[in-house]
Amino acid sequence: MKEGPDLARIAALIGEPARANILTALMAGRALTVTELAAEAGVTVQTASGHLARLEEGGLVVPRRSGRHKYFALRGVEVARVLEALLGLAAARGHLRSRPGPRDPSLRAARVCYDHMAGEAGIRLYDSLLARGFLGPAPEGLALTDAGATFVTSFGIDLAALRAGRRRVLCRDCLDWSERRSHLAGALGRAMLDHMLGLAWLHRVEGSRALRFTPAGRRAFDAAFPPVEDWFPEGSTPQAA
Amino acid sequence: MKEGPDLARIAALIGEPARANILTALMAGRALTVTELAAEAGVTVQTASGHLARLEEGGLVVPRRSGRHKYFALRGVEVARVLEALLGLAAARGHLRSRPGPRDPSLRAARVCYDHMAGEAGIRLYDSLLARGFLGPAPEGLALTDAGATFVTSFGIDLAALRAGRRRVLCRDCLDWSERRSHLAGALGRAMLDHMLGLAWLHRVEGSRALRFTPAGRRAFDAAFPPVEDWFPEGSTPQAA
DNA sequence: TCCACAGTTCGATCATGGCCGAAACATTAC
DNA sequence: GTAATGTTTCGGCCATGATCGAACTGTGGA
């Protein structure tokens, strides 16, 4: 009927909740696998795979194969800028996601992000490690400092094993959408979560991405990863947990 | 589940074909009535009304009542910029509307845009009037010059009647989406089309917005509104908006 | 007053497209 | 080789939402 750029097509591509979640997750600037994106989008892998095929066909994302993984990233900064513009417009119009639904509070408190911890607790862990100088910036993003290596080892992580099986980046920051801040991902993020699950500090809620702390686990977590305020008001002194 | 701006909601609002057409039509920067927008979007008035309610609720358009008409316009330049960004991305990705479908060629050649003529013929008429100085820029957009008044009167338009019934702007430019240039709307645009229909230069195609010239009508039209090239072979080309 | 026109609401239909289970396919580990 | 993991395809179910006819409201003109 009309000609010109197909506004509807590109916007519809972005305007589907699962795909929007995928794109939002990719706004962190990193390439993520199909499985990771499925977890971020809250859909199964098959569904995410289909969505990613459409996004790729629409020129919004680009795939990159690496072994048996398929990583997807946004196709260039141009796409990111458009998404930012849309996010800004949505924010200006007061369109925020998740009027706190029934099971949302628990998800915000702590949840699994693929294989590591996200939500308020995930932010807490990340900030606490960062504030104490256990994590630091590195050329490729994020690295464990020497003090951090000591800390996580004393926490119970087998760092040597993690570094030996170098099939995965040790530290990675993952943008958290309930807080819009980074939390810890990567092999270490996974190991930390696994370890805390093993310690029974918390457990997965069946059929959900939510994580629920036990009362004792909550206390132990708070002690091990105190809020940043406790560390930043005056000085930089680390402390044993 | 997540928080932050609701990308999906705003994009889905834009990503519905009828709504995208409405928004694209409003990109011309003018306020249009529900009926006009319905014609532009290719849907009935009821449907357009519903869409406009959603667009308004989503903060993308603002209504303004004027008599029994309800005009809609984009809500600020911010919205326009986002739409431009999306259009640019769509164009960059090669997403053009209408792989020329079955009945598209005739629509591109000449069609009704609410009550006036659009398409290649509409552009031709507009450019031809402009090139000969019959139309000129005015504070509120577009105005008929004295020479233009003489011309349209000799063409057979009852200009006095048009000006008497001042329920509508005489001249208005309307952005043409098959050419992405302006064509003539307003009371004069309507009168011109009506007159040409009365002269049987062309007729409406049943069940479509397409207009079909008779062979004689085509010749007469070409004579009355010669291509701009014939009038500005060398220089001093005035510009459309 | 009656009529014409612009816009909205309601109800029912219906198609698009998202979703997941199951199973195939692909790659790497053992 | 077998097993495990990651990804894709297929098929069918199902909900969302676009669409239009019809009826209603409201405004303006004769």
Side-chain angles (χ1 to χ4, degrees):
Chain A
M1 193 175 295
K2 321 271 182 70
E3 268 195 1
D6 193 344
L7 180 61
R9 181 161 172 232
I10 197 100
L13 213 47
I14 304 171
E16 201 280 329
R19 285 195 292 266
N21 284 339
I22 287 173
L23 292 170
T24 309
L26 291 176
M27 287 282 293
R30 297 184 173 281
L32 297 175
T33 68
V34 176
T35 308
E36 285 169 325
L37 288 170
E40 278 297 321
V43 293
T44 59
V45 225
Q46 314 94 283
T47 304
S49 177
H51 283 312
L52 286 165
R54 293 172 137 245
L55 288 173
E56 179 188 350
E57 202 252 334
L60 293 182
V61 303
V62 282
R64 189 164 49 84
R65 293 212 74 104
S66 171
R68 54 183 168 185
H69 296 271
K70 190 170 184 182
Y71 287 90
F72 281 92
L74 292 186
R75 177 165 179 156
V77 290
E78 184 190 357
V79 175
R81 274 192 299 110
V82 169
L83 293 178
E84 274 293 347
L86 276 169
L87 285 169
L89 186 59
R93 293 293 173 264
H95 296 168
L96 298 186
R97 296 195 281 192
S98 83
R99 44 223 169 273
R103 48 179 240 258
D104 277 349
S106 61
L107 280 177
R108 273 208 303 278
R111 66 176 178 274
V112 173
C113 175
Y114 180 42
D115 61 1
H116 54 274
M117 190 166 68
E120 290 159 12
I123 299 287
R124 165 80 73 84
L125 183 138
Y126 181 86
D127 286 353
S128 190
L129 292 177
L130 208 61
R132 285 182 282 179
F134 295 161
L135 288 175
E140 66 279 13
L142 201 64
L144 199 60
T145 62
D146 290 341
T150 304
F151 173 80
V152 300
T153 300
S154 75
F155 182 60
I157 303 291
D158 185 352
L159 203 51
L162 281 187
R163 283 183 164 141
R166 57 169 44 243
R167 293 162 51 189
R168 195 169 173 202
V169 174
L170 185 65
C171 301
R172 165 186 289 173
D173 63 314
C174 178
L175 203 41
D176 191 295
W177 299 107
S178 60
E179 300 286 334
R180 218 161 175 84
R181 293 168 59 192
S182 292
H183 58 240
L184 180 65
L188 181 60
R190 171 181 189 158
M192 297 284 281
L193 175 59
D194 287 348
H195 188 54
M196 288 187 284
L197 287 170
L199 291 173
W201 283 10
L202 40 73
H203 55 87
R204 292 168 182 262
V205 175
E206 199 63 27
S208 163
R209 293 167 56 203
L211 291 167
R212 189 191 311 274
F213 277 95
T214 64
R218 182 74 227 187
R219 285 192 296 274
F221 180 84
D222 286 343
F225 309 103
V228 170
E229 289 75 18
D230 296 355
W231 291 94
F232 265 118
E234 42 216 305
S236 52
T237 338
Q239 168 193 314
Chain B
M1 194 173 299
K2 320 270 182 71
E3 269 195 359
D6 193 345
L7 180 61
R9 181 161 172 234
I10 197 100
L13 213 48
I14 305 171
E16 203 280 328
R19 286 195 293 267
N21 284 340
I22 287 174
L23 292 170
T24 308
L26 290 176
M27 287 281 293
R30 297 186 172 280
L32 298 175
T33 67
V34 176
T35 308
E36 286 170 325
L37 288 170
E40 277 297 319
V43 294
T44 59
V45 222
Q46 314 96 282
T47 304
S49 178
H51 283 312
L52 285 165
R54 305 190 67 179
L55 288 173
E56 179 187 352
E57 201 252 335
L60 293 182
V61 304
V62 282
R64 188 164 51 83
R65 294 211 73 105
S66 170
R68 55 183 166 182
H69 295 272
K70 191 169 184 181
Y71 287 89
F72 282 92
L74 292 186
R75 177 165 179 156
V77 290
E78 184 189 357
V79 176
R81 273 192 299 111
V82 170
L83 293 178
E84 274 293 347
L86 276 169
L87 285 169
L89 186 59
R93 294 291 173 263
H95 295 167
L96 298 185
R97 297 194 279 191
S98 82
R99 43 227 167 270
R103 48 179 240 257
D104 276 347
S106 61
L107 279 177
R108 272 207 304 279
R111 66 176 177 273
V112 174
C113 174
Y114 181 43
D115 61 2
H116 54 273
M117 190 166 68
E120 289 161 11
I123 299 288
R124 164 81 72 88
L125 182 138
Y126 181 85
D127 285 354
S128 189
L129 292 177
L130 207 61
R132 285 180 281 178
F134 295 161
L135 288 175
E140 65 280 13
L142 202 64
L144 198 61
T145 62
D146 290 340
T150 306
F151 173 80
V152 300
T153 300
S154 75
F155 182 61
I157 303 290
D158 185 352
L159 203 51
L162 280 187
R163 283 184 164 139
R166 57 169 44 242
R167 294 162 49 189
R168 192 167 175 206
V169 175
L170 185 65
C171 301
R172 166 185 288 171
D173 63 316
C174 177
L175 201 42
D176 192 294
W177 299 108
S178 61
E179 299 286 332
R180 226 169 166 77
R181 293 169 59 191
S182 294
H183 58 240
L184 180 65
L188 181 60
R190 172 179 188 160
M192 296 285 280
L193 176 58
D194 286 347
H195 189 56
M196 288 187 284
L197 286 169
L199 290 174
W201 283 9
L202 39 71
H203 56 87
R204 290 170 183 263
V205 175
E206 199 63 28
S208 162
R209 294 167 55 202
L211 292 167
R212 190 192 311 274
F213 277 96
T214 63
R218 183 74 226 188
R219 285 191 296 274
F221 180 84
D222 286 342
F225 309 104
V228 170
E229 289 76 18
D230 296 358
W231 290 91
F232 285 94
E234 38 219 301
S236 74
T237 329
Q239 271 319 320

